Amino acid sequence: MKPPPFDYHAPTGLGETLEVLAGAGAHAKVLAGGQSLIPLLNMRLASPSHLVDINRVAELDTIVVRGGGVRVGALARHAAVERSEAAARAQPLLRAALRQVAHPVIRNRGTVVGSLVHADPSAELPAVLTVLEGSVRLARHGGGEREVPASEFFVGPLESALRPGELAVSAFFPALPPRAGSAFCEVARRHGDYAVAGAAAVVVLDDDQRIASARVACVSAGPVPVLLDLSEVCARRPAASADWAAVAAAVRDRVDPEGDIHATADYRRHLTGVLAERALRVAAQEAAGEGTGESADG
């Protein structure tokens, strides 16, 4: 299969990139890792008039770790973020989720920001950004920038808040507060496949080691990552005595996934409850200092 014809652009700086995008508008697609875009082009599911290759824009290949979290540039590869010890210390949920993304050869080329812009509700990173209440920075020609929170960035399946002429230049993953833990788990038909269901969880304890906040973002449970606040269900109990069965039931009641060739809606709903409970339980153990610092593998 061959892609449809397009004009190819290979800018070497951010300003040049934004100028090209401004001229092309809605007729342009940005190529970074290409792990999603190239198959879409080859199957003719996308037919842009302009392909803007940003792989020579070195200033976008960044991983910046500060006290408040991790800012990942548009050209930072999955593998680079996964291997970054500084990023893992600042936000361990990133590494836990990235280890579930596809296969090493894809992680070597695919980009974190590209995965977010692709906005697949079955992907891991949109759920991570959502549960952490992170954001994506968008830039356009003329110097305009806007920081879009995850709650507004994912607007539908394979649809983000990115406007014609804009470039997603980075994503910000906030660090966890004190006495907090996180976990990610999923179930796929084969490791590396898109998840049949999954959950990214964050639990925060109060000064008395009781659950003050419990959030989970569910994968493959709706058109966008489904964020659930389950703090009331946990009822400020210590992690060891939380009613995790009630948590799973609450998750099943609040999600409305669709069935497909991989799973019925009922099975996906049940599995989402199981995985959310598991992720929250491990996150609570992490917050209490009892965990391993990794993921709750499905």
Side-chain angles (χ1 to χ4, degrees), residues 7-298:
D7 291 335
Y8 176 75
H9 307 267
T12 58
L14 179 58
E16 182 185 357
T17 303
L18 297 178
E19 186 175 359
V20 171
L21 288 173
H27 302 290
K29 285 289 186 182
V30 172
L31 174 66
Q35 301 306 291
S36 298
L37 178 59
I38 296 302
L40 290 175
L41 291 174
N42 286 341
M43 292 186 287
R44 306 232 169 178
L45 296 175
S47 54
S49 301
H50 299 267
L51 189 67
V52 185
D53 184 347
I54 63 171
N55 280 280
R56 296 169 181 80
V57 187
E59 61 201 281
L60 297 177
D61 189 4
T62 57
I63 304 170
V64 179
V65 180
R66 295 196 175 95
V70 183
R71 184 166 291 279
V72 179
L75 276 183
R77 312 294 172 180
H78 290 124
V81 180
E82 179 188 353
R83 289 193 299 261
S84 171
E85 294 297 335
R89 286 193 297 270
Q91 184 40 265
L93 189 57
L94 257 178
R95 175 177 284 178
L98 281 166
R99 287 178 170 173
Q100 304 295 324
V101 174
H103 304 282
V105 67
I106 290 177
R107 296 201 294 272
N108 284 339
R109 289 298 303 167
T111 63
V112 168
V113 174
S115 179
L116 297 173
V117 172
H118 189 54
D120 192 322
S122 298
E124 294 84 358
L125 290 174
V128 171
L129 191 77
T130 296
V131 78
L132 294 176
E133 298 180 323
S135 59
V136 178
R137 180 171 294 171
L138 308 177
R140 64 168 52 250
H141 183 58
E145 284 189 346
R146 61 190 182 111
E147 195 84 20
V148 183
S151 59
E152 300 174 11
F153 186 72
F154 304 108
V155 298
L158 306 183
E159 184 180 5
S160 74
L162 189 71
R163 297 169 182 165
E166 287 185 323
L167 175 69
V169 294
S170 66
F172 182 67
F173 297 86
L176 297 178
R179 297 183 299 278
S182 64
F184 185 92
C185 59
E186 68 175 37
V187 166
R189 296 180 66 203
R190 296 168 299 184
H191 179 74
D193 286 359
Y194 279 111
V196 175
V202 172
V203 172
V204 182
L205 305 182
D206 61 20
D207 293 339
D208 298 320
Q209 292 293 91
R210 296 177 180 272
I211 297 174
S213 171
R215 302 192 312 276
V216 64
C218 301
V219 179
S220 295
V224 298
V226 179
L227 181 63
L228 303 176
D229 188 337
L230 299 158
S231 305
E232 292 184 5
V233 182
C234 293
R236 293 193 175 271
R237 295 185 180 182
S241 61
D243 188 350
W244 298 114
V247 169
V251 171
R252 290 194 297 270
D253 288 343
R254 299 181 190 183
V255 298
D256 187 24
E258 293 186 356
D260 55 27
I261 61 173
H262 303 298
T264 65
D266 286 343
Y267 175 68
R268 185 167 273 133
R269 182 181 296 106
H270 169 77
L271 190 56
T272 300
V274 171
L275 296 176
E277 174 191 354
R278 185 178 303 170
L280 286 164
R281 187 196 299 267
V282 173
Q285 292 171 347
E286 293 285 345
E290 302 169 1
T292 63
E294 292 297 335
S295 66
D297 291 333

